[in-house]
Amino acid sequence: MRLREAVAADVAAFVAAHGRAPGLAVVLVGEDPASRVYVKNKGVATRAAGMVSFEHRLDAGVSEAELLALVAALNADQAVDGILVQLPLPAHIDGDKVLAAIDPAKDVDGFHPVNAGRLAVGQKALVPCTPKGCLMLIEEALGDLSGREALVIGRSSIVGKPMAALLTAKSATVTLAHSRTRDLAGHVARAEIVVAAVGVPEMVRGDWIRPGACVIDVGINRVVAADGTSRLVGDVEFAGASVRAGWITPVPGGVGPMTIACLLANTVEAASARLAA
Ligand code: NAD
């Protein structure tokens, strides 16, 4: 993958200039099985890119104060260039408070209000990894996005809202659909770009897709068949959509790997920016 190669080259240049590799700290609280897999994959990818991975696994019962103390220690640690607190956090911890405690210069997930605000007003920011990766895929498929009709389905702070901001910055004409949107099928039928980030299995029907559209499926949904076997599907009905779309990402294997590659890219970016400051 080209992005991973670019990251590896940036890491090598960083090591040559600074005598150490960029470091990414990942904090996992509790035993959520999906989160454990994500954290493991992030650690493997970080080391494979030549960077240092610091992994902190905390008991589900850890107090908010203890977690905030760890974040403060990581903020102060000069070997740590990026900090990622894996979501979701247990109910007794205020996730917004924890994310806001991360030094914005080390906020490689791009969830801190300072980075979200910078993105919203068009300033240089650390951008959330999933929408950053989606934008790369869309630009690779379509080139210049100026004037394109883009539909983002889902308005979360992690995917939908930053995705809409990134497409707006590229001069696409952006519609942001959500749970109260009327006539979703009509919006999809008009869109040259569809980014689906909802979390409902195959809710975007294949026959809604505008012929030739670029379809980015962010959803990761586990569905269990009658015989007890399970599989992952996206938010888009892939079989029907793939015969109409000009370009479509599969689930699994499409957006997921780009998200991790963008996390690595954000870590090198944060490391370089911090040492240049
Ligand atoms: P979320 O639950 O925070 O947000 C879902 C959004 O969907 C909400 O804004 C809601 O308004 C909207 N929505 C709900 N029902 C709708 C409907 N009927 N029509 C239109 N919009 C509707 O979810 P999220 O964190 O943004 O994640 C969305 C999906 O993407 C999940 O399946 C998640 O697992 C996946 N995800 C994948 C990656 C990746 O790396 N591939 C990263 C993040 C999230």
Side-chain angles (χ1 to χ4, degrees):
M1 186 200 291
R2 280 199 298 280
L3 178 57
R4 293 240 181 154
E5 286 162 16
V7 168
D10 288 347
V11 169
F14 185 94
V15 172
H18 303 291
R20 70 168 180 90
L24 171 63
V26 178
V27 181
L28 172 66
V29 180
E31 299 290 324
D32 179 69
S35 294
R36 284 172 58 134
V37 172
Y38 294 146
V39 165
K40 182 169 158 272
N41 291 346
K42 286 167 185 173
V44 168
T46 302
R47 288 186 291 276
M51 296 193 275
V52 183
S53 172
F54 303 98
E55 289 167 35
H56 296 267
R57 291 162 202 277
L58 306 180
D59 190 82
V62 70
S63 71
E64 187 179 284
E66 285 170 300
L67 180 54
L68 288 170
L70 173 59
V71 170
L74 296 173
N75 283 342
D77 188 338
Q78 292 308 310
V80 172
D81 300 289
I83 302 169
L84 181 157
V85 177
Q86 184 67 44
L87 301 177
L89 289 169
H92 68 278
I93 294 176
D94 181 345
D96 287 344
K97 198 169 167 183
V98 173
L99 294 182
I102 296 172
D103 178 350
K106 296 188 177 187
D107 169 39
V108 285
D109 252 344
F111 297 161
H112 192 288
V114 165
N115 281 313
R118 283 188 187 142
L119 174 61
V121 297
Q123 291 176 9
K124 191 167 167 47
L126 284 165
V127 173
C129 304
T130 300
K132 179 172 175 156
C134 291
L135 182 69
M136 286 180 180
L137 294 172
I138 297 165
E139 287 193 300
E140 195 172 298
L142 301 181
D144 182 15
L145 306 185
S146 179
R148 295 278 198 172
E149 295 281 345
L151 174 68
V152 179
I153 314 175
R155 57 177 160 181
S156 74
S157 303
I158 293 172
V159 188
K161 281 197 196 114
M163 188 75 250
L166 288 169
L167 289 165
T168 303
K170 294 291 178 181
S171 300
T173 302
V174 181
T175 300
L176 182 56
H178 46 77
S179 52
R180 304 292 178 88
T181 294
R182 291 190 299 262
D183 188 21
L184 184 63
H187 287 290
V188 173
R190 280 188 294 279
E192 299 171 89
I193 301 163
V194 178
V195 181
V198 181
V200 176
E202 302 185 323
M203 68 164 292
V204 176
R205 309 309 301 171
D207 60 5
W208 296 357
I209 301 294
R210 175 171 165 167
C214 173
V215 179
I216 306 292
D217 193 351
V218 180
I220 302 175
N221 310 293
R222 185 164 291 282
V223 292
V224 182
D227 65 1
T229 57
S230 74
R231 66 192 175 102
L232 291 180
V233 301
D235 290 345
V236 178
E237 185 219 347
F238 186 84
S242 58
V243 295
R244 293 173 69 89
W247 213 89
I248 185 167
T249 59
V251 176
V255 172
M258 280 303 284
T259 296
I260 292 198
C262 286
L263 172 65
L264 304 177
N266 275 358
T267 303
V268 186
E269 189 181 317
S272 304
R274 226 164 46 79
L275 291 193

